[in-house]
Amino acid sequence: MSHEGIHFVEIDPEEFVKECKAIIDKLEERGIIARILGAMAVYIHTERDKRAREIHSTRFGAGVPMFTDLDLMAYKKQAKKLKEVFEGELGFLPDRMVNVLFSDRRLIYYHPEGKFHVDVFFNKLEFCHDVNFGEEPGKGRLELSKYAITPTDVVLEKLQIHEINPKDIVDLIVLFLTHELAEEEGEGKINAKYIAKVLADDWGFWYDSVENLKKVKAYASQMVKEGRLKEEEMEKVIRQVDLLLKIIEEEPKSKNWMKRAKEGTSKKWWRDVEEIVR
């Protein structure tokens, strides 16, 4: 696996997670709600599972650091206060160009000692497909889980990727191995009903998600061959994925979904993600 152009966080993962949680705590003290996204969210949701940690630590390959930066989701209505905390109390350095050009959607900050950078997104992830968290502090999805977005939202964050990478598939495998599918949010649960409802209104997101879930099954099988996953672990992941696919299939589709389904793949169904130059 090539890691060219990727900047890894060289701090010990435990230390890095502790430092990131301290940032969330500091924001919370000031009444600002922010939650961790991505691989670190998976790490936090599987913290007490030694085996999950072993599997997850290979997301970039053996011996390669786990994390590249800190990604946060917050509410746009709290952006002004969030800036004050990052630039004042925490002493982080703003990326002036990005923070002026994209301030309504995203902010970037650099650690005062250059250890890592922080990407803050507001209200929703807008990549290949949208993952919404709400706009109203106290009424959105960020409050459903401590420190990190819910396992449900991590699944959607990974499934929206049009060209999914092995590292993102490993994140999903770890979640499916350690969390049960359910019809509500909660510790140790993935709300399959909510995922199905989101996908039932967006054909493009649905299409990429279904394709990605098939890739999860194939990659789990490959990981067994590589000795990174046990046979029974692969079987559990495949059972969970098949059940999620069934729940997605059975969810009644919206008029939007039906209308877009008629065009299928003859028309582009995803957005290309233009990385902001750092």
Side-chain angles (χ1 to χ4, degrees), residues 79-92:
K80 189 170 175 287
K81 282 162 75 182
L82 183 139
K83 281 182 186 176
E84 286 165 10
V85 174
F86 263 102
E87 294 171 33
E89 293 176 61
L90 294 171
F92 274 68

Side-chain angles (χ1 to χ4, degrees), residues 19-75:
E19 202 161 328
C20 295
K21 282 183 171 182
I23 292 171
I24 302 292
D25 287 335
K26 174 60 74 180
L27 291 166
E28 205 113 312
E29 278 170 28
R30 300 289 175 263
I32 303 154
I33 299 154
R35 294 294 181 263
I36 295 164
L37 298 162
M40 195 184 291
V42 178
Y43 189 98
I44 288 167
H45 287 305
T46 57
E47 258 174 336
R48 291 185 292 274
D49 192 317
K50 191 164 169 280
R51 178 61 185 146
R53 182 70 65 254
E54 280 171 18
I55 300 163
H56 200 211
S57 66
T58 70
R59 65 190 301 268
F60 277 110
V64 182
M66 283 188 74
F67 303 119
T68 55
D69 56 13
L70 171 61
D71 290 334
L72 298 179
M73 181 60 64
Y75 294 116

Side-chain angles (χ1 to χ4, degrees), residues 217-235:
K217 293 199 289 181
Y219 197 72
S221 167
Q222 187 183 319
M223 283 177 76
V224 171
K225 292 188 186 99
E226 292 168 357
R228 291 161 65 196
L229 209 58
K230 294 171 185 164
E231 192 82 34
E232 62 271 23
E233 290 169 338
M234 175 197 75
E235 284 165 8

Side-chain angles (χ1 to χ4, degrees), residues 45 144-145 150-152 179-180 182 184-191:
H45 287 305
L144 296 174
S145 176
T150 68
T152 308
H179 290 68
E180 296 306 320
E184 71 276 316
E185 304 296 342
E187 199 173 330
K189 292 176 181 175
I190 292 166
N191 187 342

